[in-house]
Amino acid sequence: MGKKAKEPEKPSAAWQGTYGDMITLMLCFFVMLYNPSETDVSQLQQMAAAMQQEVTTPADIPADIAGNGGGIAGLGNSITALPSLERGKFLGPVRKKAVSLFAPDVHTNRITITSDERGLVITLAADSFFTEGSADLDIDDTRETLLRLANFFSSDEVKGRRFRIEGHTDNTPVPEDSEFASNWELSAARSANVLHYLAGFGVDENNFSIAGYADTRPQFSNDTVEGRAYNRRVDIIILDEGHF
């Protein structure tokens, strides 16, 4: 009888250690490249919301939709319309324009730019625009900012959108000799005056609505001086279609 054929040796797994080291190094490299300050928060929020949208199960996919592509193609075509992605496509460019246009005001903390379920929110620090307890705008000091706001709300990027101006106060009662009966009237008057000035600078006021919330929607605790300062604000919101 001939000798039994020698079984081939099992392949070495030593390469796996080198491969794992390479993957780890690549991960570290890309983490170092990532700059959180350049992240578009609004787009991330919209992407997260889109991932939560309901997806039609393969059993529900009609044959004419599935076509020859099989389950994967049909599933891709049967995903529910993603309004959140559409909002992200809109908010991204608008937010970038706002950040660029209002850079001087953001730098001085006169304006902050955020986004939430209502849309893009441009917040005016009330203490930078109004004297305490008053609804009269300090036009000499804020004229340039108001002109930038008027330019922004007349731009093509927000054409066809609706806007809402919301006035907010802290929980400090108005003085007894105030022209306003309460913070409700004060917050509403501040919203109206902002709109009047924007309209005077060429903005179409028919695209706006106004509201006054007094101290009912604080962003921070009213127990501190800093918190009360942040709560005294006027929000100008580029409304999402669901909040018209």
Side-chain angles (χ1 to χ4, degrees):
M1 293 181 62
K3 294 183 178 179
K4 186 178 181 181
K6 185 178 180 181
E7 294 184 1
E9 296 182 358
K10 294 183 179 180
S12 172
W15 64 271
Q16 295 179 355
T18 303
Y19 178 76
D21 291 341
M22 181 187 70
I23 294 298
T24 302
L25 289 172
M26 290 182 64
L27 175 62
C28 293
F29 173 73
F30 286 112
V31 168
M32 292 175 63
L33 289 179
Y34 174 69
N35 184 356
S37 63
E38 297 179 355
T39 302
D40 193 323
V41 177
S42 61
Q43 287 187 349
L44 288 179
Q45 291 175 336
Q46 305 307 333
M47 290 170 62
M51 294 174 67
Q52 298 175 3
Q53 294 289 327
E54 180 182 0
V55 179
T56 308
T57 59
D60 297 328
I61 301 175
D64 57 339
I65 293 180
N68 296 328
I72 298 298
L75 184 62
N77 289 327
S78 64
I79 296 179
T80 338
L82 300 178
S84 55
L85 282 179
E86 293 302 318
R87 291 195 295 270
K89 291 178 182 178
F90 161 72
L91 283 178
V94 173
R95 188 177 190 277
K96 289 177 181 177
K97 179 178 178 64
V99 169
S100 175
L101 184 62
F102 301 120
D105 308 290
V106 172
H107 180 70
T108 58
N109 295 321
R110 179 172 287 178
I111 282 179
T112 58
I113 300 170
T114 56
S115 58
D116 57 26
E117 72 281 354
R118 298 170 298 171
L120 188 71
V121 184
I122 299 174
T123 298
L124 316 183
D127 292 355
S128 297
F129 289 83
F130 305 93
T131 57
E132 185 177 355
S134 171
D136 296 330
L137 278 159
D138 184 356
I139 191 62
D140 292 334
D141 193 40
T142 62
R143 179 182 178 84
E144 293 302 318
T145 300
L146 292 170
L147 283 170
R148 281 191 285 271
L149 285 165
N151 176 270
F152 176 76
F153 287 108
S154 300
S155 64
D156 291 338
E157 284 84 354
V158 296
K159 186 176 182 180
R161 309 300 300 190
R162 297 285 299 176
F163 317 108
R164 186 169 66 234
I165 304 177
E166 299 179 353
H168 303 269
T169 69
D170 60 22
N171 63 349
T172 304
V174 297
E176 292 184 0
D177 59 348
S178 174
E179 62 180 302
F180 303 104
S182 70
N183 280 324
W184 289 101
E185 287 80 5
L186 174 59
S187 60
R190 286 181 170 180
S191 296
N193 282 347
V194 169
L195 177 56
H196 291 329
Y197 272 100
L198 292 180
F201 290 140
V203 167
D204 185 359
E205 61 184 3
N206 292 320
N207 295 327
F208 286 78
S209 59
I210 63 172
Y213 290 103
D215 62 335
T216 61
R217 299 189 180 183
Q219 288 185 325
F220 299 93
S221 171
N222 278 308
D223 294 335
T224 66
V225 174
E226 293 80 7
R228 290 192 295 272
Y230 280 111
N231 292 335
R232 296 190 294 268
R233 68 194 191 279
V234 174
D235 290 339
I236 309 179
I237 307 159
I238 306 171
L239 293 169
D240 174 69
E241 292 181 358
H243 289 79
F244 281 6

